[in-house]
Amino acid sequence: FGSSLLGAAPSGAGGGGPLPHRRGGAARARGGGPMADGSEEAAFVPPFRKIYFSNEMVSKYEPLATAMRKVTESEGRDDEVWEQYQEHLSKFNSFDWCSTWDGNRYDVVFYGASGYAGYLMTEYLRRVSLKRNPEPFTFALAGRSRSRVQDLRDRAFAGTKHEDAPILQMCYDDVFSIIDLVKSARVIVNVAGPYMLTQGELLIDACICMGVHYVDVSAEVPWTLRIKDLHRYALKERVFVVPSAGTAGGYPDLGVHLCAKRAREEHGEELACAACYVSLGGAAAAASCGTLRTRAALAGIGEAERDRMADPFSLGGFVPERDRWGLKTCSIELGTGKVSARMRPEDADANMGRIAEDGRLGIWRGPFQYSYFDARVVRRSNMLLADLGNRPYGRRLNFLEYAMLPSEALAAQRQQQQQQQQRAVSAGPRAPAAPVGGHREGGEGPALEELADAWTGYFLWAESEGGREFRCSFVGRDSYFETARLAVETAMCLRFDRERLPFAGGVLTPAVACADRLIERVTGTGVKLRTDDWFPASERSPPPC
């Protein structure tokens, strides 16, 4: 056609070739986006828009292609032709021409519902959310296979008023199915992982285009690195994109938020350092099949991506080392003269890979499987809070995370068992080894009934710039159930608490996006919280469902 519809994309889409002109006037993108001549074309073109706003897609909508040709032939001087062109262009921009959406819009749509994570979501809905949520809400289940999603729905909701919960189908290879799914939702919770092996960024970008909020439960640094370029687009369209709304990326960051809030409100100080100690109790479960697939995917990444993962500040929030005069210390690369600020030794991942006694707190600590990931999430939150609100946790914040070990004897025993693993752990993040014991096939995992007495505790300690100490602690059920809780309650915050959230949108962490509202919702559904101290051993037990 000699022209591209990229220039007609929603605000923030990448530019393309010229649109038809009318009497010398250039057609401007909807929502004040880039000019059609591509003069403001961004280096990064969002993935869904790159596919949809293209000549290939225009060719599939013949009325628009014909109208564009007629406008060009008439040089934009025929009013009737121009009106037809505008009509079809509007349908193209709103996706109406290709959508088979039935007009029903649900508060939350769960995508990937046929797997184990989908089972967790439906169990949380059935046991907690549909009973306790203060607002009534509608939901639908979605996946690539309608029959598999239906099987899960029938098992979860048979005999209840939700036994006919709507089922939607979507595949990343079918852009029209993505459009229909997004049009059907106000919030999408994507639990189809491993995320780094999917084209999930297409779904996120489609959500941004159509004003739909997005949540997932990822714990994959490569995935967050892939989607963080969408931050400015989401912020501009006031859409929330919240990855890692699970136990990995959730409670440790919320704990730092609470400590920083106390330091700021009670003493007007920022945090200098913080640490999270994770403790588990009750029944132990082997990893689900999905978790093992994610670990395998992380183990198979290339060297370049592995190097990016190994950077403690790969998701942002870098704090440089300073000398005794307060000046940044730098390294100069031999041969190129490239100057880079040095990282502080206390921020290195190796600090979280050792078994040692914390003399100040009187506990033994050791490596925890999500320490590297959680530390990067907290650092990203610190950066986002500084960028969006000029109120970081701390401008010089140091955050680390450990497993809380029960005793010195156990610490010594684990140290002996892990001698061969210490070098790999200290070198940087690697995919954890599969746990001892069996695992489930076909996307399955342990039934929640097997984990009835399991609990997970997060114990936060922080120190302000003035030397004041703060503590808080969360105790919830097993980590699988708590991941479902955090994902669903994050979605509820985005759906019902939108006007009470601190920021307008963006690719955010759960703590930055939802802050106090998320804490209120998880504690309102059963999670135990102390904002002044740690729970004693006698109170470390799973809260009721």
Side-chain angles (χ1 to χ4, degrees), residues 334-411:
L334 185 64
T336 66
K338 180 180 178 181
V339 178
S340 57
R342 289 181 184 173
M343 185 183 73
R344 300 180 302 181
E346 59 264 36
D347 294 321
D349 286 335
N351 294 311
M352 297 182 285
R354 305 186 184 100
I355 295 177
E357 183 180 14
D358 187 321
R360 173 183 286 187
L361 300 178
I363 59 175
W364 278 81
R365 65 193 188 194
F368 179 63
Q369 62 177 335
Y370 290 116
S371 292
Y372 302 124
F373 183 78
D374 286 340
R376 284 154 175 74
V377 169
V378 170
R379 292 162 189 156
R380 177 168 178 80
S381 290
N382 197 39
M383 174 197 72
L384 289 168
L385 291 168
D387 289 348
L388 298 175
N390 197 29
R391 297 183 75 178
Y393 296 144
R395 287 168 175 80
R396 295 177 52 81
L397 178 71
N398 165 248
F399 175 82
L400 299 172
E401 182 177 87
Y402 310 92
M404 182 187 293
L405 304 181
S407 67
E408 181 177 353
L410 179 58

Coordinates of all heavy atoms in Angstrom, one line a residue, residues 334-411:
L334 N 40.9 -1.4 30.8 CA 42.2 -1.3 30.0 C 41.9 -1.4 28.5 O 41.2 -2.3 28.1 CB 43.1 -2.4 30.5 CG 44.6 -2.4 29.9 CD1 45.3 -1.1 30.4 CD2 45.3 -3.6 30.3
G335 N 42.5 -0.5 27.8 CA 42.4 -0.5 26.3 C 41.3 0.4 25.8 O 41.4 1.0 24.7
T336 N 40.1 0.4 26.5 CA 39.0 1.2 26.0 C 38.8 2.5 26.8 O 38.2 3.4 26.3 CB 37.7 0.4 26.1 OG1 37.4 0.1 27.4 CG2 37.8 -0.9 25.3
G337 N 39.3 2.5 28.0 CA 39.1 3.7 28.8 C 37.7 3.8 29.4 O 37.3 4.8 30.0
K338 N 36.9 2.8 29.2 CA 35.5 2.8 29.7 C 35.5 2.9 31.3 O 36.2 2.1 31.9 CB 34.7 1.6 29.3 CG 33.3 1.5 29.7 CD 32.6 0.3 29.2 CE 31.2 0.2 29.7 NZ 30.5 -1.1 29.3
V339 N 34.7 3.8 31.8 CA 34.7 4.0 33.2 C 33.3 3.5 33.8 O 32.3 3.8 33.2 CB 34.8 5.5 33.6 CG1 34.7 5.8 35.1 CG2 36.1 6.1 33.0
S340 N 33.4 2.7 34.8 CA 32.2 2.2 35.4 C 32.3 2.3 37.0 O 33.4 2.1 37.5 CB 31.9 0.8 35.0 OG 32.9 0.0 35.3
A341 N 31.2 2.7 37.6 CA 31.2 2.7 39.1 C 31.3 1.3 39.7 O 30.7 0.4 39.1 CB 30.0 3.4 39.6
R342 N 32.0 1.2 40.7 CA 32.2 -0.1 41.4 C 31.0 -0.4 42.3 O 30.4 0.5 42.9 CB 33.5 -0.1 42.2 CG 34.8 -0.1 41.4 CD 36.0 -0.1 42.3 NE 37.2 0.0 41.6 CZ 38.4 0.1 42.2 NH1 38.5 0.1 43.5 NH2 39.5 0.2 41.4
M343 N 30.7 -1.7 42.4 CA 29.7 -2.2 43.2 C 30.2 -2.4 44.7 O 31.4 -2.7 44.8 CB 29.1 -3.5 42.7 CG 28.0 -4.1 43.5 SD 27.5 -5.7 42.9 CE 28.8 -6.7 43.5
R344 N 29.4 -2.1 45.6 CA 29.8 -2.3 47.0 C 30.0 -3.8 47.3 O 29.1 -4.6 46.9 CB 28.8 -1.7 48.0 CG 28.5 -0.2 47.8 CD 27.5 0.4 48.8 NE 26.2 -0.3 48.6 CZ 25.2 0.0 49.4 NH1 25.2 0.9 50.3 NH2 24.0 -0.7 49.2
P345 N 31.0 -4.1 48.1 CA 31.2 -5.6 48.4 C 30.0 -6.1 49.2 O 29.6 -7.3 49.0 CB 32.4 -5.5 49.3 CG 33.1 -4.3 48.9 CD 32.1 -3.3 48.6
E346 N 29.3 -5.3 50.0 CA 28.2 -5.9 50.8 C 26.9 -6.2 49.9 O 26.0 -6.9 50.4 CB 27.8 -4.9 51.9 CG 27.3 -3.5 51.4 CD 28.5 -2.5 51.4 OE1 29.6 -2.9 51.1 OE2 28.2 -1.3 51.7
D347 N 26.9 -5.8 48.7 CA 25.8 -6.1 47.8 C 26.0 -7.4 47.0 O 25.1 -7.8 46.2 CB 25.5 -5.0 46.8 CG 25.0 -3.7 47.5 OD1 24.2 -3.9 48.5 OD2 25.4 -2.6 47.1
A348 N 27.2 -8.0 47.1 CA 27.5 -9.2 46.2 C 26.6 -10.4 46.6 O 26.3 -10.6 47.8 CB 28.9 -9.5 46.4
D349 N 26.2 -11.2 45.6 CA 25.4 -12.4 45.8 C 26.1 -13.4 46.7 O 25.5 -14.1 47.5 CB 25.1 -13.0 44.5 CG 24.0 -12.3 43.7 OD1 23.3 -11.5 44.3 OD2 24.0 -12.4 42.5
A350 N 27.5 -13.4 46.7 CA 28.2 -14.3 47.5 C 27.9 -14.2 49.0 O 28.0 -15.2 49.7 CB 29.7 -14.1 47.3
N351 N 27.5 -13.0 49.4 CA 27.1 -12.8 50.8 C 25.9 -13.7 51.3 O 25.8 -14.0 52.5 CB 26.8 -11.4 51.1 CG 28.1 -10.5 51.0 OD1 29.1 -10.8 51.5 ND2 27.9 -9.4 50.2
M352 N 25.1 -14.0 50.3 CA 23.9 -14.8 50.6 C 24.1 -16.3 50.4 O 23.2 -17.1 50.6 CB 22.7 -14.4 49.8 CG 22.3 -12.9 50.0 SD 20.9 -12.4 49.0 CE 21.6 -12.2 47.4
G353 N 25.3 -16.7 50.0 CA 25.6 -18.1 49.7 C 26.4 -18.8 50.8 O 26.8 -20.0 50.6
R354 N 26.5 -18.2 52.0 CA 27.3 -18.8 53.0 C 26.5 -19.2 54.2 O 25.5 -18.5 54.5 CB 28.4 -17.9 53.5 CG 29.3 -17.4 52.4 CD 30.5 -16.5 52.9 NE 31.3 -16.0 51.9 CZ 31.2 -14.7 51.5 NH1 30.4 -13.9 52.0 NH2 32.0 -14.3 50.5
I355 N 26.8 -20.2 54.9 CA 26.2 -20.6 56.2 C 27.0 -20.0 57.3 O 28.2 -20.1 57.4 CB 26.1 -22.1 56.4 CG1 25.2 -22.7 55.3 CG2 25.6 -22.5 57.7 CD1 25.1 -24.2 55.3
A356 N 26.4 -19.2 58.1 CA 27.1 -18.5 59.2 C 26.1 -18.1 60.3 O 24.9 -18.2 60.1 CB 27.7 -17.2 58.6
E357 N 26.7 -17.7 61.4 CA 25.9 -17.2 62.5 C 25.8 -15.7 62.5 O 26.8 -15.0 62.2 CB 26.5 -17.6 63.9 CG 25.6 -17.2 65.1 CD 26.3 -17.6 66.4 OE1 27.4 -18.0 66.4 OE2 25.5 -17.6 67.4
D358 N 24.6 -15.2 62.7 CA 24.4 -13.7 62.8 C 24.4 -13.4 64.2 O 23.5 -13.6 65.0 CB 23.0 -13.3 62.2 CG 22.8 -11.8 62.1 OD1 23.2 -11.1 63.0 OD2 22.2 -11.4 61.1
G359 N 25.6 -12.9 64.7 CA 25.8 -12.6 66.1 C 24.8 -11.6 66.6 O 24.4 -11.6 67.8
R360 N 24.5 -10.6 65.8 CA 23.6 -9.5 66.3 C 22.2 -10.0 66.6 O 21.6 -9.7 67.7 CB 23.5 -8.4 65.3 CG 22.5 -7.3 65.6 CD 22.4 -6.2 64.6 NE 23.5 -5.4 64.5 CZ 23.6 -4.3 63.8 NH1 22.6 -4.0 63.0 NH2 24.7 -3.5 63.8
L361 N 21.7 -10.9 65.8 CA 20.3 -11.4 66.0 C 20.3 -12.7 66.7 O 19.2 -13.2 67.0 CB 19.6 -11.5 64.6 CG 19.5 -10.2 63.8 CD1 18.8 -10.4 62.5 CD2 18.7 -9.1 64.6
G362 N 21.4 -13.4 66.8 CA 21.5 -14.6 67.5 C 20.9 -15.8 66.8 O 20.2 -16.7 67.4
I363 N 21.0 -15.8 65.4 CA 20.4 -16.9 64.6 C 21.5 -17.4 63.6 O 22.4 -16.7 63.3 CB 19.2 -16.4 63.8 CG1 19.5 -15.2 62.9 CG2 18.0 -16.1 64.8 CD1 18.4 -14.8 62.0
W364 N 21.2 -18.6 63.1 CA 22.1 -19.1 62.1 C 21.3 -18.9 60.7 O 20.1 -19.0 60.7 CB 22.3 -20.6 62.3 CG 23.5 -20.8 63.2 CD1 23.4 -20.8 64.6 CD2 24.8 -21.1 62.9 NE1 24.7 -21.0 65.1 CE2 25.5 -21.2 64.1 CE3 25.5 -21.2 61.7 CZ2 26.9 -21.5 64.1 CZ3 26.9 -21.5 61.7 CH2 27.6 -21.6 62.9
R365 N 22.1 -18.6 59.7 CA 21.5 -18.3 58.4 C 22.3 -19.1 57.3 O 23.4 -19.4 57.5 CB 21.5 -16.8 58.1 CG 22.9 -16.3 58.0 CD 22.9 -14.7 58.0 NE 24.2 -14.2 57.7 CZ 24.6 -13.0 57.9 NH1 23.8 -12.1 58.4 NH2 25.8 -12.6 57.6
G366 N 21.6 -19.3 56.2 CA 22.2 -20.0 55.1 C 21.5 -19.6 53.8 O 20.6 -18.8 53.7
P367 N 21.9 -20.2 52.7 CA 21.4 -19.9 51.4 C 19.9 -20.3 51.3 O 19.4 -21.3 51.8 CB 22.2 -20.8 50.4 CG 23.4 -21.2 51.1 CD 23.0 -21.3 52.6
F368 N 19.1 -19.4 50.6 CA 17.7 -19.7 50.4 C 17.5 -19.6 48.9 O 18.1 -18.8 48.2 CB 16.8 -18.6 51.1 CG 15.3 -18.8 50.8 CD1 14.7 -19.9 51.2 CD2 14.6 -17.8 50.1 CE1 13.3 -20.1 51.0 CE2 13.3 -18.0 49.9 CZ 12.6 -19.1 50.3
Q369 N 16.7 -20.5 48.3 CA 16.6 -20.7 46.9 C 16.2 -19.4 46.1 O 16.5 -19.3 44.9 CB 15.7 -21.8 46.5 CG 14.2 -21.7 46.9 CD 13.4 -22.8 46.5 OE1 13.7 -23.5 45.6 NE2 12.3 -23.0 47.2
Y370 N 15.4 -18.5 46.7 CA 15.0 -17.3 46.0 C 15.7 -16.1 46.5 O 15.2 -14.9 46.2 CB 13.5 -17.1 46.2 CG 12.7 -18.2 45.5 CD1 11.9 -19.1 46.1 CD2 12.7 -18.3 44.1 CE1 11.2 -20.1 45.4 CE2 12.0 -19.2 43.4 CZ 11.2 -20.1 44.1 OH 10.5 -21.1 43.4
S371 N 16.8 -16.2 47.2 CA 17.5 -15.0 47.8 C 17.9 -14.1 46.7 O 17.7 -12.9 46.8 CB 18.7 -15.5 48.6 OG 18.4 -16.2 49.7
Y372 N 18.6 -14.6 45.6 CA 19.1 -13.8 44.6 C 17.9 -13.0 43.9 O 18.0 -11.8 43.6 CB 19.8 -14.6 43.5 CG 21.0 -15.4 44.1 CD1 21.1 -16.8 43.9 CD2 22.0 -14.7 44.8 CE1 22.1 -17.5 44.4 CE2 23.1 -15.4 45.3 CZ 23.1 -16.8 45.1 OH 24.2 -17.5 45.6
F373 N 16.8 -13.7 43.6 CA 15.7 -13.1 42.9 C 15.1 -12.0 43.8 O 14.8 -10.9 43.4 CB 14.7 -14.1 42.5 CG 13.5 -13.6 41.8 CD1 13.7 -13.2 40.4 CD2 12.3 -13.3 42.4 CE1 12.6 -12.7 39.7 CE2 11.2 -12.8 41.7 CZ 11.4 -12.4 40.4
D374 N 14.8 -12.4 45.1 CA 14.1 -11.4 46.0 C 15.0 -10.2 46.2 O 14.4 -9.1 46.3 CB 13.8 -12.1 47.3 CG 12.7 -13.1 47.3 OD1 11.9 -12.9 46.3 OD2 12.6 -13.9 48.1
A375 N 16.3 -10.3 46.3 CA 17.2 -9.2 46.5 C 17.1 -8.2 45.3 O 17.0 -7.0 45.4 CB 18.6 -9.6 46.7
R376 N 17.0 -8.8 44.1 CA 16.9 -8.0 42.9 C 15.5 -7.3 42.8 O 15.4 -6.1 42.4 CB 17.1 -8.8 41.6 CG 18.6 -9.2 41.4 CD 18.7 -10.5 40.6 NE 20.1 -10.7 40.3 CZ 21.0 -11.1 41.2 NH1 20.7 -11.3 42.4 NH2 22.3 -11.3 40.8
V377 N 14.5 -7.9 43.3 CA 13.1 -7.3 43.3 C 13.1 -6.1 44.3 O 12.6 -5.0 44.0 CB 12.1 -8.3 43.7 CG1 10.7 -7.6 44.0 CG2 11.9 -9.3 42.6
V378 N 13.7 -6.3 45.5 CA 13.7 -5.2 46.5 C 14.5 -4.0 45.9 O 14.2 -2.9 46.1 CB 14.3 -5.7 47.8 CG1 14.6 -4.5 48.7 CG2 13.4 -6.7 48.5
R379 N 15.7 -4.3 45.2 CA 16.5 -3.2 44.7 C 15.7 -2.5 43.6 O 15.8 -1.3 43.4 CB 17.8 -3.8 44.1 CG 18.7 -4.3 45.3 CD 19.8 -5.2 44.7 NE 20.5 -5.8 45.8 CZ 21.2 -6.9 45.8 NH1 21.2 -7.6 44.6 NH2 21.8 -7.4 46.8
R380 N 14.9 -3.3 42.8 CA 14.1 -2.6 41.8 C 13.0 -1.7 42.4 O 12.8 -0.6 42.0 CB 13.4 -3.7 40.9 CG 12.5 -3.0 39.8 CD 12.1 -4.0 38.7 NE 11.2 -3.4 37.8 CZ 11.5 -2.6 36.8 NH1 12.8 -2.3 36.6 NH2 10.6 -2.0 36.0
S381 N 12.4 -2.2 43.5 CA 11.4 -1.4 44.2 C 12.0 -0.1 44.7 O 11.4 1.0 44.6 CB 10.8 -2.2 45.4 OG 10.0 -3.2 44.9
N382 N 13.2 -0.2 45.2 CA 13.9 1.0 45.7 C 14.1 2.0 44.6 O 13.9 3.2 44.8 CB 15.3 0.6 46.3 CG 15.9 1.6 47.3 OD1 15.1 2.3 48.0 ND2 17.2 1.8 47.2
M383 N 14.5 1.5 43.4 CA 14.7 2.4 42.3 C 13.4 3.0 41.8 O 13.3 4.2 41.6 CB 15.3 1.6 41.1 CG 15.4 2.4 39.8 SD 15.7 1.3 38.4 CE 14.0 0.6 38.3
L384 N 12.3 2.2 41.7 CA 11.0 2.7 41.3 C 10.5 3.7 42.2 O 9.9 4.8 41.8 CB 10.0 1.5 41.1 CG 10.3 0.6 40.0 CD1 9.4 -0.7 40.1 CD2 10.0 1.2 38.6
L385 N 10.6 3.5 43.5 CA 10.1 4.5 44.5 C 10.9 5.8 44.4 O 10.3 6.9 44.6 CB 10.3 3.9 45.9 CG 9.3 2.7 46.2 CD1 9.7 2.1 47.5 CD2 7.9 3.2 46.3
A386 N 12.2 5.7 44.1 CA 12.9 6.9 43.9 C 12.5 7.7 42.6 O 12.3 8.9 42.6 CB 14.4 6.6 43.9
D387 N 12.3 6.9 41.6 CA 12.0 7.5 40.3 C 10.6 8.1 40.2 O 10.3 9.2 39.7 CB 12.1 6.5 39.1 CG 13.6 6.1 38.9 OD1 14.5 6.8 39.4 OD2 13.8 5.1 38.1
L388 N 9.6 7.3 40.8 CA 8.2 7.7 40.7 C 7.7 8.7 41.8 O 6.8 9.5 41.6 CB 7.3 6.5 40.7 CG 7.5 5.5 39.6 CD1 6.7 4.2 39.8 CD2 7.2 6.1 38.2
G389 N 8.3 8.6 43.0 CA 7.9 9.4 44.1 C 8.9 10.1 44.9 O 8.6 10.7 45.9
N390 N 10.2 9.9 44.5 CA 11.3 10.5 45.3 C 11.3 10.1 46.7 O 11.7 10.8 47.6 CB 11.3 12.0 45.1 CG 12.6 12.6 45.5 OD1 13.7 12.0 45.4 ND2 12.6 13.8 46.1
R391 N 10.8 8.8 47.0 CA 10.8 8.3 48.4 C 11.3 6.9 48.4 O 10.5 5.9 48.6 CB 9.4 8.4 49.0 CG 8.9 9.8 49.1 CD 7.5 9.9 49.7 NE 7.6 9.7 51.2 CZ 6.5 9.7 52.0 NH1 5.3 9.9 51.5 NH2 6.7 9.5 53.3
P392 N 12.6 6.6 48.2 CA 13.1 5.3 48.2 C 13.1 4.7 49.6 O 13.0 5.4 50.6 CB 14.5 5.4 47.6 CG 14.9 6.8 48.0 CD 13.6 7.6 47.9
Y393 N 13.3 3.4 49.7 CA 13.5 2.8 51.0 C 14.7 3.4 51.6 O 14.7 3.7 52.8 CB 13.7 1.3 50.9 CG 12.6 0.5 50.3 CD1 12.8 -0.6 49.5 CD2 11.2 0.8 50.6 CE1 11.7 -1.4 49.0 CE2 10.2 0.0 50.2 CZ 10.4 -1.1 49.3 OH 9.4 -1.8 48.9
G394 N 15.8 3.6 50.8 CA 17.0 4.2 51.3 C 17.9 4.4 50.1 O 18.1 3.5 49.3
R395 N 18.5 5.6 50.0 CA 19.4 5.9 48.9 C 20.7 5.1 49.0 O 21.4 4.9 47.9 CB 19.8 7.4 48.9 CG 18.6 8.3 48.5 CD 18.9 9.7 48.8 NE 17.8 10.6 48.3 CZ 16.6 10.7 48.8 NH1 16.3 10.1 50.0 NH2 15.7 11.5 48.3
R396 N 21.0 4.5 50.1 CA 22.2 3.7 50.2 C 21.8 2.3 50.7 O 22.6 1.6 51.4 CB 23.2 4.3 51.2 CG 23.8 5.6 50.7 CD 24.7 6.3 51.7 NE 25.7 5.4 52.2 CZ 26.8 5.1 51.5 NH1 27.1 5.6 50.4 NH2 27.7 4.2 52.0
L397 N 20.6 1.9 50.4 CA 20.0 0.6 51.0 C 20.9 -0.6 50.5 O 21.2 -0.8 49.4 CB 18.6 0.4 50.5 CG 17.9 -0.9 50.9 CD1 17.6 -0.9 52.4 CD2 16.7 -1.2 50.1
N398 N 21.2 -1.4 51.5 CA 21.7 -2.8 51.3 C 20.7 -3.8 51.7 O 20.3 -3.8 52.9 CB 23.1 -2.9 52.0 CG 23.5 -4.4 52.1 OD1 23.5 -5.0 53.1 ND2 23.9 -5.0 50.9
F399 N 20.3 -4.7 50.8 CA 19.3 -5.7 51.2 C 19.9 -7.1 50.8 O 20.4 -7.3 49.7 CB 18.0 -5.5 50.5 CG 17.0 -6.6 50.7 CD1 16.3 -6.7 51.9 CD2 16.9 -7.7 49.8 CE1 15.4 -7.7 52.1 CE2 16.0 -8.7 50.1 CZ 15.3 -8.7 51.2
L400 N 19.7 -8.0 51.8 CA 20.1 -9.4 51.5 C 19.1 -10.3 52.1 O 18.3 -9.9 53.0 CB 21.5 -9.7 52.2 CG 22.7 -8.9 51.7 CD1 23.9 -9.2 52.6 CD2 23.0 -9.2 50.2
E401 N 19.0 -11.6 51.7 CA 18.0 -12.5 52.2 C 18.7 -13.9 52.4 O 19.6 -14.3 51.7 CB 16.9 -12.7 51.1 CG 15.8 -13.6 51.6 CD 14.7 -13.7 50.5 OE1 14.7 -14.5 49.6 OE2 13.7 -12.9 50.7
Y402 N 18.2 -14.6 53.4 CA 18.7 -15.9 53.9 C 17.6 -16.8 54.3 O 16.5 -16.4 54.6 CB 19.7 -15.7 55.0 CG 20.7 -14.6 54.9 CD1 20.5 -13.3 55.4 CD2 22.0 -14.9 54.3 CE1 21.4 -12.3 55.3 CE2 22.9 -13.9 54.2 CZ 22.7 -12.6 54.7 OH 23.6 -11.6 54.6
A403 N 18.0 -18.1 54.4 CA 17.1 -19.0 55.1 C 17.5 -19.0 56.5 O 18.7 -18.9 56.9 CB 17.4 -20.4 54.5
M404 N 16.5 -19.0 57.4 CA 16.8 -19.0 58.8 C 16.9 -20.5 59.3 O 16.0 -21.3 59.1 CB 15.6 -18.4 59.6 CG 15.8 -18.3 61.1 SD 14.4 -17.8 62.0 CE 14.3 -16.1 61.5
L405 N 18.1 -20.8 59.7 CA 18.4 -22.2 60.1 C 18.1 -22.4 61.6 O 18.4 -21.6 62.4 CB 19.9 -22.5 59.8 CG 20.3 -22.3 58.4 CD1 21.8 -22.7 58.2 CD2 19.4 -23.1 57.4
P406 N 17.5 -23.6 61.9 CA 17.0 -23.8 63.3 C 18.0 -23.9 64.4 O 17.8 -23.5 65.5 CB 16.3 -25.2 63.2 CG 16.1 -25.4 61.7 CD 17.2 -24.7 61.0
S407 N 19.2 -24.4 64.1 CA 20.2 -24.5 65.1 C 21.6 -24.6 64.6 O 21.8 -24.8 63.4 CB 19.9 -25.8 65.9 OG 20.2 -26.9 65.1
E408 N 22.6 -24.4 65.5 CA 24.0 -24.5 65.1 C 24.3 -25.9 64.5 O 25.1 -26.0 63.6 CB 24.9 -24.1 66.2 CG 26.4 -24.1 65.9 CD 27.2 -23.7 67.1 OE1 26.6 -23.3 68.1 OE2 28.4 -23.8 67.0
A409 N 23.8 -26.9 65.2 CA 24.1 -28.3 64.8 C 23.5 -28.5 63.3 O 24.2 -29.1 62.5 CB 23.4 -29.3 65.7
L410 N 22.3 -28.0 63.0 CA 21.8 -28.2 61.7 C 22.6 -27.4 60.7 O 22.8 -27.9 59.6 CB 20.3 -27.8 61.7 CG 19.6 -27.9 60.3 CD1 19.7 -29.3 59.8 CD2 18.2 -27.4 60.4
A411 N 23.0 -26.2 61.1 CA 23.8 -25.4 60.2 C 25.1 -26.1 59.8 O 25.5 -26.1 58.6 CB 24.1 -24.1 60.8

